[in-house]
Protein backbone atom coordinates (compact mmCIF):
# COMPACT_ATOMS: atom_id res chain seq x y z
CA UNK A 1 0.00 0.00 0.00
CA UNK A 2 1.29 3.41 -0.85
CA UNK A 3 1.29 5.66 2.19
CA UNK A 4 0.56 8.67 0.04
CA UNK A 5 -2.15 7.22 -2.12
CA UNK A 6 -5.47 8.85 -1.52
CA UNK A 7 -6.99 5.46 -0.92
CA UNK A 8 -5.37 2.54 0.80
CA UNK A 9 -4.70 1.06 -2.59
CA UNK A 10 -3.17 1.95 -5.87
CA UNK A 11 -5.29 1.93 -9.04
CA UNK A 12 -7.11 0.24 -10.76
CA UNK A 13 -9.25 -1.15 -7.92
CA UNK A 14 -9.36 2.26 -6.33
CA UNK A 15 -11.53 4.04 -8.81
CA UNK A 16 -15.18 3.77 -7.97
CA UNK A 17 -17.38 2.16 -10.52
CA UNK A 18 -21.07 2.62 -10.87
CA UNK A 19 -24.00 1.75 -8.74
CA UNK A 20 -27.66 2.58 -8.83
CA UNK A 21 -29.98 -0.01 -7.39
CA UNK A 22 -33.17 1.74 -8.35
CA UNK A 23 -32.40 3.36 -11.67
CA UNK A 24 -35.78 5.04 -12.07
CA UNK A 25 -35.15 7.08 -8.93
CA UNK A 26 -31.59 7.95 -9.79
CA UNK A 27 -31.82 9.10 -13.36
CA UNK A 28 -29.31 11.62 -14.51
CA UNK A 29 -31.06 14.68 -15.90
CA UNK A 30 -31.41 15.47 -19.56
CA UNK A 31 -32.27 12.20 -21.18
CA UNK A 32 -35.61 11.33 -22.68
CA UNK A 33 -37.61 8.49 -21.20
CA UNK A 34 -37.58 6.55 -24.47
CA UNK A 35 -33.79 6.39 -24.42
CA UNK A 36 -33.40 5.28 -20.82
CA UNK A 37 -33.70 1.54 -21.05
CA UNK A 38 -30.17 0.56 -22.11
CA UNK A 39 -28.72 3.24 -19.91
CA UNK A 40 -30.72 2.09 -16.89
CA UNK A 41 -29.71 -1.49 -17.56
CA UNK A 42 -26.10 -0.38 -17.72
CA UNK A 43 -26.41 1.50 -14.41
CA UNK A 44 -27.96 -1.53 -12.78
CA UNK A 45 -25.13 -3.70 -14.06
CA UNK A 46 -22.49 -1.27 -12.83
CA UNK A 47 -24.32 -1.10 -9.49
CA UNK A 48 -23.38 -4.73 -8.87
CA UNK A 49 -19.74 -3.96 -9.53
CA UNK A 50 -19.87 -0.95 -7.24
CA UNK A 51 -21.44 -2.89 -4.38
CA UNK A 52 -18.77 -5.60 -4.59
CA UNK A 53 -16.00 -3.00 -4.64
CA UNK A 54 -17.61 -1.16 -1.74
CA UNK A 55 -17.69 -4.36 0.30
CA UNK A 56 -14.01 -5.06 -0.30
CA UNK A 57 -13.22 -1.37 0.31
CA UNK A 58 -14.84 -1.50 3.74
CA UNK A 59 -12.94 -4.70 4.50
CA UNK A 60 -9.68 -3.08 3.48
CA UNK A 61 -10.40 -0.01 5.60
CA UNK A 62 -11.14 -2.29 8.55
CA UNK A 63 -7.93 -4.22 7.90
CA UNK A 64 -5.88 -1.01 8.18
CA UNK A 65 -7.68 0.24 11.28
CA UNK A 66 -9.39 -2.23 13.63
CA UNK A 67 -8.94 -5.83 12.43
CA UNK A 68 -7.11 -8.11 14.88
CA UNK A 69 -3.94 -9.59 13.32
CA UNK A 70 -5.52 -13.04 13.35
CA UNK A 71 -7.98 -11.93 10.68
CA UNK A 72 -5.34 -11.29 8.02
CA UNK A 73 -5.42 -14.57 6.17
CA UNK A 74 -9.20 -14.86 5.88
CA UNK A 75 -9.46 -11.16 5.04
CA UNK A 76 -7.05 -11.53 2.13
CA UNK A 77 -9.17 -14.41 0.81
CA UNK A 78 -12.43 -12.47 1.23
CA UNK A 79 -11.09 -9.36 -0.50
CA UNK A 80 -9.59 -11.49 -3.26
CA UNK A 81 -12.90 -13.19 -3.98
CA UNK A 82 -14.89 -9.94 -3.94
CA UNK A 83 -12.37 -8.28 -6.25
CA UNK A 84 -12.56 -11.21 -8.65
CA UNK A 85 -16.38 -11.09 -8.68
CA UNK A 86 -16.29 -7.34 -9.31
CA UNK A 87 -13.80 -7.82 -12.13
CA UNK A 88 -15.80 -10.65 -13.74
CA UNK A 89 -19.03 -8.63 -13.57
CA UNK A 90 -17.31 -5.60 -15.07
CA UNK A 91 -15.60 -7.35 -17.98
CA UNK A 92 -18.50 -9.65 -18.91
CA UNK A 93 -19.75 -9.48 -22.50
CA UNK A 94 -23.08 -8.25 -21.15
CA UNK A 95 -21.48 -5.09 -19.73
CA UNK A 96 -19.76 -4.41 -23.01
CA UNK A 97 -22.98 -4.90 -24.96
CA UNK A 98 -24.89 -2.57 -22.63
CA UNK A 99 -22.20 0.07 -23.05
CA UNK A 100 -22.48 -0.17 -26.83
CA UNK A 101 -26.26 0.21 -26.76
CA UNK A 102 -26.24 3.01 -24.22
CA UNK A 103 -23.58 4.88 -26.22
CA UNK A 104 -25.69 4.76 -29.35
CA UNK A 105 -28.55 6.38 -27.41
CA UNK A 106 -26.64 9.01 -25.42
CA UNK A 107 -26.70 12.67 -26.37
CA UNK A 108 -23.19 13.95 -27.10
CA UNK A 109 -21.98 16.24 -24.33
CA UNK A 110 -24.52 14.94 -21.80
CA UNK A 111 -23.71 13.54 -18.38
CA UNK A 112 -24.76 10.15 -19.70
CA UNK A 113 -22.21 10.35 -22.50
CA UNK A 114 -19.54 11.29 -19.94
CA UNK A 115 -20.53 8.38 -17.71
CA UNK A 116 -20.37 5.95 -20.63
CA UNK A 117 -16.94 7.26 -21.65
CA UNK A 118 -15.61 6.82 -18.12
CA UNK A 119 -17.10 3.34 -17.71
CA UNK A 120 -15.64 2.32 -21.07
CA UNK A 121 -12.20 3.54 -19.98
CA UNK A 122 -12.47 1.55 -16.71
CA UNK A 123 -13.49 -1.52 -18.67
CA UNK A 124 -10.69 -1.11 -21.22
CA UNK A 125 -8.07 -0.76 -18.49
CA UNK A 126 -9.35 -3.96 -16.95
CA UNK A 127 -9.49 -5.94 -20.20
CA UNK A 128 -6.56 -4.86 -22.34
CA UNK A 129 -4.14 -6.84 -20.18
CA UNK A 130 -4.73 -10.61 -20.42
CA UNK A 131 -5.93 -12.29 -17.22
CA UNK A 132 -2.87 -14.58 -17.23
CA UNK A 133 -0.52 -11.58 -17.05
CA UNK A 134 -2.62 -9.95 -14.32
CA UNK A 135 -2.39 -13.17 -12.31
CA UNK A 136 1.32 -13.50 -12.92
CA UNK A 137 1.87 -9.93 -11.76
CA UNK A 138 -0.24 -10.40 -8.67
CA UNK A 139 1.68 -13.59 -7.75
CA UNK A 140 5.00 -11.85 -8.34
CA UNK A 141 3.85 -8.82 -6.34
CA UNK A 142 3.19 -10.87 -3.23
CA UNK A 143 6.63 -12.48 -3.46
CA UNK A 144 8.17 -9.12 -4.33
CA UNK A 145 6.58 -7.47 -1.33
CA UNK A 146 8.13 -9.95 1.09
CA UNK A 147 11.48 -9.78 -0.63
CA UNK A 148 11.37 -6.00 -0.66
CA UNK A 149 10.57 -5.82 3.06
CA UNK A 150 13.51 -8.11 3.79
CA UNK A 151 15.87 -6.40 1.34
CA UNK A 152 15.03 -2.99 2.80
CA UNK A 153 15.54 -4.26 6.35
CA UNK A 154 18.93 -5.72 5.44
CA UNK A 155 19.66 -2.92 2.99
CA UNK A 156 20.54 -5.57 0.44
CA UNK A 157 19.51 -4.60 -3.09
CA UNK A 158 20.90 -7.85 -4.54
CA UNK A 159 18.24 -9.77 -2.59
CA UNK A 160 15.54 -7.92 -4.53
CA UNK A 161 17.22 -7.38 -7.88
CA UNK A 162 16.10 -10.53 -9.69
CA UNK A 163 12.46 -10.09 -8.72
CA UNK A 164 12.55 -6.41 -9.64
CA UNK A 165 13.95 -7.30 -13.07
CA UNK A 166 11.05 -9.70 -13.53
CA UNK A 167 8.59 -7.03 -12.38
CA UNK A 168 9.91 -4.50 -14.88
CA UNK A 169 9.63 -7.16 -17.57
CA UNK A 170 5.97 -7.81 -16.70
CA UNK A 171 5.23 -4.08 -16.61
CA UNK A 172 6.87 -3.70 -20.03
CA UNK A 173 4.48 -6.35 -21.36
CA UNK A 174 1.55 -4.57 -19.69
CA UNK A 175 2.51 -1.35 -21.47
CA UNK A 176 2.55 -3.15 -24.82
CA UNK A 177 -0.97 -4.48 -24.18
CA UNK A 178 -2.23 -1.09 -23.04
CA UNK A 179 -0.70 0.56 -26.09
CA UNK A 180 1.04 3.89 -26.62
CA UNK A 181 2.10 6.23 -29.41
CA UNK A 182 5.43 7.72 -28.45
CA UNK A 183 6.94 6.32 -25.29
CA UNK A 184 6.39 3.10 -23.37
CA UNK A 185 6.00 5.21 -20.20
CA UNK A 186 2.87 6.85 -21.64
CA UNK A 187 0.89 3.61 -21.42
CA UNK A 188 1.72 3.15 -17.74
CA UNK A 189 1.22 6.75 -16.64
CA UNK A 190 -2.14 6.94 -18.42
CA UNK A 191 -3.55 4.35 -16.00
CA UNK A 192 -3.18 6.86 -13.16
CA UNK A 193 -3.40 10.14 -15.06
CA UNK A 194 -5.47 9.91 -18.20
CA UNK A 195 -3.76 11.45 -21.20
CA UNK A 196 -0.52 12.37 -19.43
CA UNK A 197 2.72 11.38 -21.17
CA UNK A 198 6.42 10.97 -20.50
CA UNK A 199 6.94 14.12 -22.56
CA UNK A 200 4.65 16.05 -20.18
CA UNK A 201 6.67 14.75 -17.23
CA UNK A 202 9.98 15.55 -18.87
CA UNK A 203 8.82 19.10 -19.55
CA UNK A 204 7.54 19.43 -16.00
CA UNK A 205 10.83 18.30 -14.47
CA UNK A 206 12.89 20.28 -16.97
CA UNK A 207 11.00 23.42 -15.92
CA UNK A 208 11.39 22.92 -12.18
CA UNK A 209 14.79 21.22 -11.96
CA UNK A 210 17.16 24.20 -12.20
CA UNK A 211 15.10 26.67 -10.11
CA UNK A 212 14.41 24.15 -7.34
CA UNK A 213 17.95 22.78 -7.21
CA UNK A 214 19.17 26.40 -7.01
CA UNK A 215 16.64 27.27 -4.29
CA UNK A 216 17.66 24.27 -2.19
CA UNK A 217 21.33 25.16 -2.64
CA UNK A 218 20.67 28.76 -1.58
CA UNK A 219 18.76 27.62 1.49
CA UNK A 220 21.48 25.17 2.52
CA UNK A 221 24.39 27.52 1.83
CA UNK A 222 22.75 30.47 3.47
CA UNK A 223 23.26 28.68 6.77
CA UNK A 224 20.21 30.11 8.54
CA UNK A 225 18.75 26.85 9.74
CA UNK A 226 15.28 26.86 11.22
CA UNK A 227 14.93 25.39 14.67
CA UNK A 228 11.95 23.03 14.70
CA UNK A 229 12.59 21.25 18.01
CA UNK A 230 9.32 22.67 19.35
CA UNK A 231 7.45 20.23 17.11
CA UNK A 232 8.98 17.18 18.79
CA UNK A 233 7.99 15.75 22.13
CA UNK A 234 5.39 13.65 23.87
CA UNK A 235 1.93 14.66 22.78
CA UNK A 236 -1.27 13.21 24.21
CA UNK A 237 -2.92 11.11 21.52
CA UNK A 238 -6.41 12.11 22.70
CA UNK A 239 -5.58 15.77 22.43
CA UNK A 240 -3.97 15.37 19.02
CA UNK A 241 -7.13 13.58 17.91
CA UNK A 242 -9.29 16.37 19.30
CA UNK A 243 -7.23 19.04 17.54
CA UNK A 244 -6.99 17.31 14.17
CA UNK A 245 -10.72 16.55 14.14
CA UNK A 246 -11.38 20.19 14.92
CA UNK A 247 -9.22 21.52 12.08
CA UNK A 248 -10.44 19.13 9.40
CA UNK A 249 -14.05 19.89 10.30
CA UNK A 250 -13.31 23.62 10.33
CA UNK A 251 -11.81 23.61 6.82
CA UNK A 252 -14.85 21.82 5.45
CA UNK A 253 -14.55 18.04 5.87
CA UNK A 254 -18.10 16.95 6.74
CA UNK A 255 -17.81 14.65 9.76
CA UNK A 256 -21.43 13.58 9.39
CA UNK A 257 -20.36 11.99 6.12
CA UNK A 258 -16.94 10.92 7.29
CA UNK A 259 -14.80 9.94 10.24
CA UNK A 260 -11.17 9.87 11.25
CA UNK A 261 -9.41 6.79 12.61
CA UNK A 262 -5.79 5.78 13.17
CA UNK A 263 -3.66 3.80 10.71
CA UNK A 264 0.08 3.24 10.34
CA UNK A 265 0.05 4.93 6.90
CA UNK A 266 -2.58 7.68 6.58
CA UNK A 267 -5.05 7.21 3.74
CA UNK A 268 -8.51 8.24 2.57
CA UNK A 269 -11.12 5.82 1.36
CA UNK A 270 -14.84 5.75 0.76
CA UNK A 271 -17.74 4.10 -0.99
CA UNK A 272 -20.34 6.84 -1.39
CA UNK A 273 -20.48 10.63 -1.04
CA UNK A 274 -22.16 9.96 2.30
CA UNK A 275 -19.25 7.96 3.69
CA UNK A 276 -15.71 9.14 2.93
CA UNK A 277 -13.23 8.27 5.67
CA UNK A 278 -9.75 9.42 6.59
CA UNK A 279 -7.00 8.12 8.85
CA UNK A 280 -4.07 9.76 10.55
CA UNK A 281 -1.19 8.78 12.85
CA UNK A 282 0.21 10.15 16.08
CA UNK A 283 3.95 10.47 16.48
CA UNK A 284 6.52 12.41 18.47
CA UNK A 285 6.56 14.94 15.61
CA UNK A 286 3.27 16.76 16.08
CA UNK A 287 3.18 17.77 12.42
CA UNK A 288 2.72 14.14 11.47
CA UNK A 289 -0.90 14.05 12.68
CA UNK A 290 -1.75 17.67 11.80
CA UNK A 291 -0.52 17.63 8.21
CA UNK A 292 -1.44 13.98 7.66
CA UNK A 293 -5.02 14.79 8.66
CA UNK A 294 -5.17 17.93 6.52
CA UNK A 295 -3.72 16.06 3.54
CA UNK A 296 -6.26 13.24 3.78
CA UNK A 297 -9.09 15.70 4.46
CA UNK A 298 -8.15 17.39 1.17
CA UNK A 299 -8.64 14.08 -0.63
CA UNK A 300 -11.84 13.46 1.31
CA UNK A 301 -13.43 16.86 0.63
CA UNK A 302 -12.86 16.28 -3.08
CA UNK A 303 -14.74 12.97 -2.83
CA UNK A 304 -17.47 14.40 -0.59
CA UNK A 305 -18.06 17.18 -3.11
CA UNK A 306 -19.36 14.96 -5.92
CA UNK A 307 -22.99 15.73 -6.78
CA UNK A 308 -25.32 13.43 -4.86
CA UNK A 309 -27.14 12.49 -8.09
CA UNK A 310 -23.87 10.99 -9.34
CA UNK A 311 -23.30 9.03 -6.17
CA UNK A 312 -22.32 5.43 -6.75
CA UNK A 313 -21.96 5.98 -10.49
CA UNK A 314 -18.63 6.13 -12.32
CA UNK A 315 -18.94 9.92 -12.55
CA UNK A 316 -18.52 10.40 -8.80
CA UNK A 317 -15.13 10.87 -7.17
CA UNK A 318 -11.78 12.27 -8.23
CA UNK A 319 -10.73 12.40 -11.86
CA UNK A 320 -7.09 11.30 -11.52
CA UNK A 321 -4.31 10.79 -9.02
CA UNK A 322 -2.60 14.05 -9.98
CA UNK A 323 -5.71 16.18 -9.56
CA UNK A 324 -6.53 14.31 -6.35
CA UNK A 325 -3.08 15.05 -5.00
CA UNK A 326 -3.48 18.72 -5.92
CA UNK A 327 -6.40 18.90 -3.50
CA UNK A 328 -4.60 17.16 -0.63
CA UNK A 329 -1.47 19.28 -1.11
CA UNK A 330 -3.47 22.50 -1.41
CA UNK A 331 -5.02 22.02 2.04
CA UNK A 332 -1.89 20.52 3.58
CA UNK A 333 0.74 22.93 2.27
CA UNK A 334 -0.79 26.09 0.86
CA UNK A 335 -3.47 26.49 3.53
CA UNK A 336 -2.15 24.40 6.44
CA UNK A 337 1.45 25.57 6.23
CA UNK A 338 0.55 29.25 5.85
CA UNK A 339 1.26 31.78 8.58
CA UNK A 340 -2.40 32.87 8.53
CA UNK A 341 -3.51 29.33 9.37
CA UNK A 342 -1.41 29.38 12.51
CA UNK A 343 -2.49 32.89 13.44
CA UNK A 344 -5.94 31.36 13.71
CA UNK A 345 -5.24 27.86 15.07
CA UNK A 346 -2.15 28.14 17.26
CA UNK A 347 -4.05 29.36 20.31
CA UNK A 348 -6.33 26.32 20.09
CA UNK A 349 -3.32 24.04 19.86
CA UNK A 350 -1.69 25.85 22.78
CA UNK A 351 -4.81 25.36 24.88
CA UNK A 352 -4.40 21.62 24.41
CA UNK A 353 -0.60 21.64 24.68
CA UNK A 354 0.49 24.43 27.07
CA UNK A 355 4.17 23.63 26.37
CA UNK A 356 3.67 25.48 23.06
CA UNK A 357 2.41 28.66 24.72
CA UNK A 358 5.79 30.37 24.47
CA UNK A 359 5.81 30.27 20.68
CA UNK A 360 4.34 32.81 18.29
CA UNK A 361 2.41 31.92 15.13
CA UNK A 362 5.41 33.16 13.14
CA UNK A 363 7.82 30.85 14.95
CA UNK A 364 5.42 27.95 14.50
CA UNK A 365 4.96 28.78 10.82
CA UNK A 366 8.72 28.80 10.28
CA UNK A 367 9.14 25.48 12.09
CA UNK A 368 6.53 23.63 10.01
CA UNK A 369 8.18 24.88 6.82
CA UNK A 370 11.74 23.88 7.60
CA UNK A 371 13.63 22.83 4.46
CA UNK A 372 16.28 20.16 4.74
CA UNK A 373 17.44 17.80 2.00
CA UNK A 374 16.84 14.29 3.29
CA UNK A 375 16.88 10.77 1.96
CA UNK A 376 13.28 9.70 2.54
CA UNK A 377 10.57 10.92 0.17
CA UNK A 378 7.63 10.58 2.55
CA UNK A 379 9.39 12.80 5.09
CA UNK A 380 10.49 15.38 2.52
CA UNK A 381 9.62 19.07 2.85
CA UNK A 382 7.66 20.95 0.23
CA UNK A 383 10.72 22.34 -1.59
CA UNK A 384 12.73 19.15 -2.00
CA UNK A 385 9.76 16.80 -2.56
CA UNK A 386 9.67 16.99 -6.34
CA UNK A 387 13.39 16.29 -6.62
CA UNK A 388 12.73 12.90 -4.99
CA UNK A 389 10.07 12.23 -7.62
CA UNK A 390 12.31 13.35 -10.48
CA UNK A 391 14.93 10.75 -9.49
CA UNK A 392 12.30 8.00 -9.62
CA UNK A 393 10.84 9.15 -12.93
CA UNK A 394 14.21 9.30 -14.67
CA UNK A 395 15.18 5.85 -13.41
CA UNK A 396 11.83 4.29 -14.35
CA UNK A 397 12.08 5.68 -17.89
CA UNK A 398 15.63 4.47 -18.38
CA UNK A 399 14.95 0.98 -17.06
CA UNK A 400 11.80 0.63 -19.17
CA UNK A 401 13.58 1.63 -22.37
CA UNK A 402 16.60 -0.51 -21.57
CA UNK A 403 18.93 2.47 -21.22
CA UNK A 404 19.62 1.38 -17.63
CA UNK A 405 19.92 -2.08 -16.11
CA UNK A 406 18.08 -2.86 -12.88
CA UNK A 407 21.48 -3.82 -11.44
CA UNK A 408 22.68 -0.25 -11.98
CA UNK A 409 19.74 1.39 -10.19
CA UNK A 410 21.42 1.86 -6.78
CA UNK A 411 24.41 3.71 -8.25
CA UNK A 412 22.22 5.83 -10.52
CA UNK A 413 19.93 6.64 -7.61
CA UNK A 414 22.77 7.74 -5.35
CA UNK A 415 24.38 9.84 -8.06
CA UNK A 416 21.09 11.64 -8.78
CA UNK A 417 20.55 12.37 -5.06
CA UNK A 418 24.05 13.82 -4.95
CA UNK A 419 23.36 16.01 -7.98
CA UNK A 420 19.86 17.22 -7.14
CA UNK A 421 19.77 17.21 -3.35
CA UNK A 422 23.46 17.44 -2.51
CA UNK A 423 23.36 14.32 -0.32
CA UNK A 424 24.39 10.72 -0.97
CA UNK A 425 22.48 7.85 0.63
CA UNK A 426 24.75 5.72 2.81
CA UNK A 427 22.79 2.55 2.11
CA UNK A 428 20.10 1.32 -0.28
CA UNK A 429 17.51 1.15 2.52
CA UNK A 430 17.57 4.94 2.56
CA UNK A 431 18.07 4.95 -1.21
CA UNK A 432 16.41 2.98 -3.96
CA UNK A 433 14.79 0.43 -1.61
CA UNK A 434 12.65 2.92 0.33
CA UNK A 435 9.37 2.89 -1.63
CA UNK A 436 6.77 0.16 -1.85
CA UNK A 437 5.63 1.08 -5.40
CA UNK A 438 8.07 -0.94 -7.50
CA UNK A 439 7.45 -4.12 -5.52
CA UNK A 440 3.77 -3.76 -6.46
CA UNK A 441 4.59 -3.07 -10.09
CA UNK A 442 3.17 0.46 -9.76
CA UNK A 443 5.59 1.93 -12.27
CA UNK A 444 4.52 5.23 -13.83
CA UNK A 445 2.76 6.30 -10.63
CA UNK A 446 5.33 8.63 -9.04
CA UNK A 447 4.98 11.66 -11.37
CA UNK A 448 1.35 12.10 -10.26
CA UNK A 449 2.70 13.33 -6.89
CA UNK A 450 4.64 16.10 -8.62
CA UNK A 451 1.72 16.95 -10.85
CA UNK A 452 -0.33 17.35 -7.68
CA UNK A 453 2.22 19.79 -6.28
CA UNK A 454 2.27 21.91 -9.44
CA UNK A 455 -1.48 21.83 -9.86
CA UNK A 456 -2.11 22.81 -6.25
CA UNK A 457 -0.34 26.15 -6.85
CA UNK A 458 -1.85 26.62 -10.29
CA UNK A 459 -5.37 26.11 -8.91
CA UNK A 460 -4.65 28.30 -5.89
CA UNK A 461 -3.37 31.06 -8.18
CA UNK A 462 -6.67 30.93 -10.11
CA UNK A 463 -8.69 30.84 -6.89
CA UNK A 464 -6.98 34.02 -5.70
CA UNK A 465 -8.20 35.91 -8.74
CA UNK A 466 -11.75 35.34 -7.49
CA UNK A 467 -10.89 35.49 -3.79
CA UNK A 468 -7.99 37.91 -3.37
CA UNK A 469 -8.18 38.01 0.46
CA UNK A 470 -7.42 34.35 1.18
CA UNK A 471 -4.89 35.30 3.85
CA UNK A 472 -7.39 37.41 5.73
CA UNK A 473 -10.05 34.67 5.51
CA UNK A 474 -7.70 31.91 6.67
CA UNK A 475 -6.49 34.13 9.53
CA UNK A 476 -10.09 34.49 10.70
CA UNK A 477 -10.83 30.79 10.33
CA UNK A 478 -13.25 31.44 7.49
CA UNK A 479 -12.71 28.59 5.09
CA UNK A 480 -16.15 28.39 3.48
CA UNK A 481 -15.36 30.71 0.52
CA UNK A 482 -12.24 28.68 -0.34
CA UNK A 483 -13.97 25.34 0.12
CA UNK A 484 -16.98 26.61 -1.84
CA UNK A 485 -14.83 27.74 -4.77
CA UNK A 486 -13.03 24.40 -4.95
CA UNK A 487 -16.31 22.54 -4.68
CA UNK A 488 -17.88 24.51 -7.52
CA UNK A 489 -14.87 24.36 -9.85
CA UNK A 490 -13.40 20.94 -9.11
CA UNK A 491 -15.15 18.69 -6.58
CA UNK A 492 -18.58 18.93 -8.21
CA UNK A 493 -17.16 18.05 -11.63
CA UNK A 494 -16.35 14.48 -10.53
CA UNK A 495 -14.96 12.54 -13.48
CA UNK A 496 -17.05 14.31 -16.10
CA UNK A 497 -14.04 15.81 -17.92
CA UNK A 498 -10.62 14.32 -18.53
CA UNK A 499 -7.92 15.66 -16.16
CA UNK A 500 -6.44 17.82 -18.92
CA UNK A 501 -9.86 19.25 -19.84
CA UNK A 502 -10.64 19.97 -16.21
CA UNK A 503 -7.36 21.83 -15.60
CA UNK A 504 -7.87 23.87 -18.77
CA UNK A 505 -11.45 24.73 -17.77
CA UNK A 506 -10.56 25.66 -14.19
CA UNK A 507 -7.28 27.53 -14.68
CA UNK A 508 -7.53 28.57 -18.34
CA UNK A 509 -4.28 26.84 -19.28
CA UNK A 510 -2.68 23.39 -19.32
CA UNK A 511 -0.62 22.24 -16.33
CA UNK A 512 2.46 24.42 -16.04
CA UNK A 513 5.25 25.03 -13.52
CA UNK A 514 4.87 28.82 -13.54
CA UNK A 515 2.59 29.35 -10.53
CA UNK A 516 4.26 26.61 -8.54
CA UNK A 517 7.74 28.08 -9.00
CA UNK A 518 6.52 31.59 -8.30
CA UNK A 519 4.61 30.61 -5.16
CA UNK A 520 7.29 28.33 -3.77
CA UNK A 521 10.17 30.69 -4.47
CA UNK A 522 8.40 33.68 -2.93
CA UNK A 523 7.44 31.74 0.20
CA UNK A 524 10.83 30.20 0.88
CA UNK A 525 13.01 33.14 -0.13
CA UNK A 526 11.02 35.17 2.37
CA UNK A 527 11.13 32.46 5.04
CA UNK A 528 14.89 32.06 4.74
CA UNK A 529 15.52 35.76 4.01
CA UNK A 530 17.42 35.07 0.80
ZN1 LIG B 1 -2.26 12.07 -1.15
Amino acid sequence: MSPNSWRGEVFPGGIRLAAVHQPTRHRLPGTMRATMSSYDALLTRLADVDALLAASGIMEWDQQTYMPPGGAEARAAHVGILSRLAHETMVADETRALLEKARAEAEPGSDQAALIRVAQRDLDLRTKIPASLVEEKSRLASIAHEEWVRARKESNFKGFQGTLERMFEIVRQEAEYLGYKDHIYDALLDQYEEGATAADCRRMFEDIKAPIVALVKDIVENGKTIDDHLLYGEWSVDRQREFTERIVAKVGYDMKRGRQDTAPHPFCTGWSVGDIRITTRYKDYIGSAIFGSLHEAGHAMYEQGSPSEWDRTPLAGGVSLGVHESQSRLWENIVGRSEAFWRYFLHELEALFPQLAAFSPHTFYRAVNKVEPSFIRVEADEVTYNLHIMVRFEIECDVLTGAMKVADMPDAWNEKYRQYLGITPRKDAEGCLQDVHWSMGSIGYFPTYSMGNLLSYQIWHTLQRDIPNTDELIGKGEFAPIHGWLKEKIYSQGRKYTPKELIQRVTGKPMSAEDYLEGLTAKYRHLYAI
Side-chain angles (χ1 to χ4, degrees), residues 4-6 295 299 325 328:
N4 276 353
S5 81
W6 62 278
H295 181 100
H299 284 305
E325 197 66 7
S328 54

Side-chain angles (χ1 to χ4, degrees), residues 311-523:
D311 194 21
R312 296 153 64 233
T313 81
L315 281 185
V319 70
S320 69
L321 293 186
V323 177
H324 235 300
E325 197 66 7
S326 77
Q327 295 313 297
S328 54
R329 299 295 262 179
L330 185 151
W331 287 103
E332 175 195 354
N333 285 335
I334 301 179
V335 177
R337 284 190 164 89
S338 69
E339 187 163 358
F341 190 85
W342 293 104
R343 272 203 307 273
Y344 182 76
F345 275 116
L346 188 61
H347 73 276
E348 288 192 31
L349 188 64
E350 285 171 348
L352 293 164
F353 298 105
Q355 62 267 50
L356 288 171
F359 301 103
S360 69
H362 184 70
T363 306
F364 199 82
Y365 159 69
R366 284 172 57 80
V368 299
N369 286 294
K370 180 178 180 170
V371 176
E372 192 170 40
S374 63
F375 300 117
I376 306 297
R377 173 185 62 86
V378 296
E379 292 163 10
D381 58 78
E382 198 187 0
V383 176
T384 57
Y385 193 90
N386 282 345
L387 300 176
H388 291 260
I389 301 300
M390 190 164 74
V391 169
R392 287 149 177 82
F393 167 71
E394 291 177 354
I395 289 176
E396 284 182 342
C397 273
D398 283 352
V399 174
L400 283 168
T401 57
M404 185 190 294
K405 289 197 179 71
V406 168
D408 297 330
M409 281 166 85
D411 286 346
W413 180 288
N414 295 346
E415 176 53 24
K416 286 177 194 293
Y417 266 73
R418 194 190 61 74
Q419 273 182 31
Y420 305 153
L421 287 138
I423 52 174
T424 310
R426 291 152 299 191
K427 49 185 187 169
D428 293 337
E430 61 185 23
C432 66
L433 285 174
Q434 66 182 268
D435 297 301
V436 70
H437 301 60
W438 290 341
S439 73
M440 301 164 71
S442 297
I443 294 155
Y445 185 113
F446 283 119
T448 65
Y449 294 125
S450 290
M451 290 177 184
N453 290 331
L454 266 66
L455 290 173
S456 67
Y457 276 92
Q458 187 169 333
I459 290 164
W460 186 251
H461 186 84
T462 314
L463 179 147
Q464 284 189 312
R465 271 187 235 148
D466 293 340
I467 310 174
N469 62 333
T470 48
D471 235 40
E472 186 192 329
L473 292 169
I474 295 170
K476 288 194 286 186
E478 290 174 18
F479 298 97
I482 295 168
H483 180 267
W485 190 95
L486 292 167
K487 185 175 175 185
E488 182 199 330
K489 307 282 181 184
I490 297 171
Y491 306 168
S492 64
Q493 304 306 309
R495 297 176 71 198
K496 183 166 180 179
Y497 304 103
T498 67
K500 285 188 169 179
E501 285 167 356
L502 182 72
I503 293 309
Q504 181 73 43
R505 289 177 72 94
V506 173
T507 69
K509 61 181 182 187
M511 183 183 78
S512 102
E514 206 185 335
D515 302 323
Y516 165 78
L517 287 173
E518 197 187 296
L520 210 65
T521 309
K523 176 176 174 180

Side-chain angles (χ1 to χ4, degrees), residues 2-10 266-268 296 299 445 449:
S2 160
N4 276 353
S5 81
W6 62 278
R7 280 162 197 268
E9 64 185 320
V10 177
F267 65 94
C268 165
E296 300 309 331
H299 284 305
Y445 185 113
Y449 294 125

